[in-house]
Amino acid sequence: MPPAEGGAREYRVEELAAAAGITVRTLRFYRERGLIPPPRREGRIAWYDEQHLARLRTIAALLERGHTLTGIADLTTAFESGRNVREVLAIDVPSEEEPVRLTPGELADHFAGEVTPENLAAALDLGYLATDGEEIVHISRRLLDVSAALVREGVPLAEVLKAGSRVREHAEALAELFTGLLRAHAAEEDLWRLRPLAKSVVEAELSMALDRRLRDAP
């Protein structure tokens, strides 16, 4: 078993099937359906690597959670068309939000029955999710936890994502308002120090607006 470039382990088809706990016939079926990427070929020998093994374990995890092979193929397409983590996360910019790394199976566990290709595509478009090899990165643990809590309370994930898109529009407008205000009246080096003040104004106004809406609701 020769090492791949960079010393990573590689597998023949029989070895990969054994490592993934499936038959060679099943592995070939997955390959024919496009569920795993093509192997590296060396003459007549096909070599698979750790990413192939990770993909097979993802397929197994999603099948256990009730996804069909067709659904998994659609999810795979959505993952592969999503932006990678460096495109989504501003790595060099400080943030209060903590990214969360998940396998596709763990993501499915957070939103039981709601991880559809359509919802996944919407989350990727919003930038809530990014891909990093075989892993998924959610940009914010707080957003992940709140979204999962809303879904558990019976709010469809599709509606949570629609609401998130609308909130994003308002948040961008508020951020533009306050950065303009602060830049007009404070030195550039003070902007990050004053950032919490703008956030507090928004939180207080939202809190009072919710109070009014809930109090006046029929």
Side-chain angles (χ1 to χ4, degrees):
M1 181 188 324
E5 289 185 24
R9 180 175 181 181
E10 287 195 320
Y11 306 81
R12 292 175 183 262
V13 64
E14 297 85 359
E15 295 167 334
L16 181 66
I22 60 176
T23 66
V24 170
R25 183 177 180 181
T26 298
L27 191 157
R28 286 178 172 146
F29 175 71
Y30 289 166
R31 189 178 69 192
E32 290 165 4
R33 290 286 299 271
L35 293 171
I36 62 173
R40 180 180 74 84
R41 292 203 169 270
E42 192 174 87
R44 298 182 62 184
I45 302 176
W47 291 104
Y48 298 85
D49 58 24
E50 294 291 343
Q51 286 205 346
H52 290 98
L53 181 57
R55 178 68 61 84
L56 290 172
R57 288 172 174 163
T58 291
I59 293 169
L62 293 174
L63 286 172
E64 286 178 5
R65 290 159 173 81
H67 288 269
T68 65
L69 286 177
T70 299
I72 292 171
D74 291 340
L75 290 174
T76 298
T77 300
F79 284 135
E80 290 176 347
S81 64
R83 292 175 292 169
N84 66 41
V85 67
R86 290 192 174 275
E87 293 175 303
V88 172
L89 297 179
I91 305 296
D92 57 339
V93 176
S95 173
E96 296 178 1
E97 302 309 312
E98 176 192 359
V100 184
R101 289 183 174 272
L102 303 160
T103 66
E106 289 168 342
L107 182 67
D109 287 341
H110 273 82
F111 304 101
E114 296 274 341
V115 180
T116 64
E118 295 78 15
N119 286 340
L120 180 61
L124 288 165
D125 286 343
L126 268 171
Y128 283 177
L129 299 179
T131 58
D132 188 13
E134 293 294 320
E135 282 189 314
I136 303 162
V137 178
H138 196 292
I139 61 168
S140 166
R141 181 176 295 280
R142 285 198 294 181
L143 281 176
L144 174 65
D145 291 345
V146 169
S147 299
L150 287 169
V151 170
R152 286 195 300 272
E153 292 294 332
V155 183
L157 180 56
E159 296 303 317
V160 172
L161 292 169
K162 285 179 186 176
S165 180
R166 293 187 63 189
V167 169
R168 172 73 59 79
E169 293 174 9
H170 293 297
E172 290 290 345
L174 288 167
E176 183 177 1
L177 169 67
F178 278 104
T179 53
L181 177 68
L182 293 177
R183 283 199 165 102
H185 300 282
E188 191 73 22
E189 60 268 22
D190 291 331
L191 296 183
W192 282 100
R193 181 176 60 81
L194 297 175
R195 176 182 183 274
L197 300 180
K199 180 181 167 185
S200 294
V201 171
V202 174
E203 288 178 344
E205 286 289 353
L206 177 59
S207 177
M208 291 187 291
L210 286 169
D211 290 344
R212 291 191 294 271
R213 292 280 181 172
L214 294 172
R215 183 182 61 241
D216 298 338

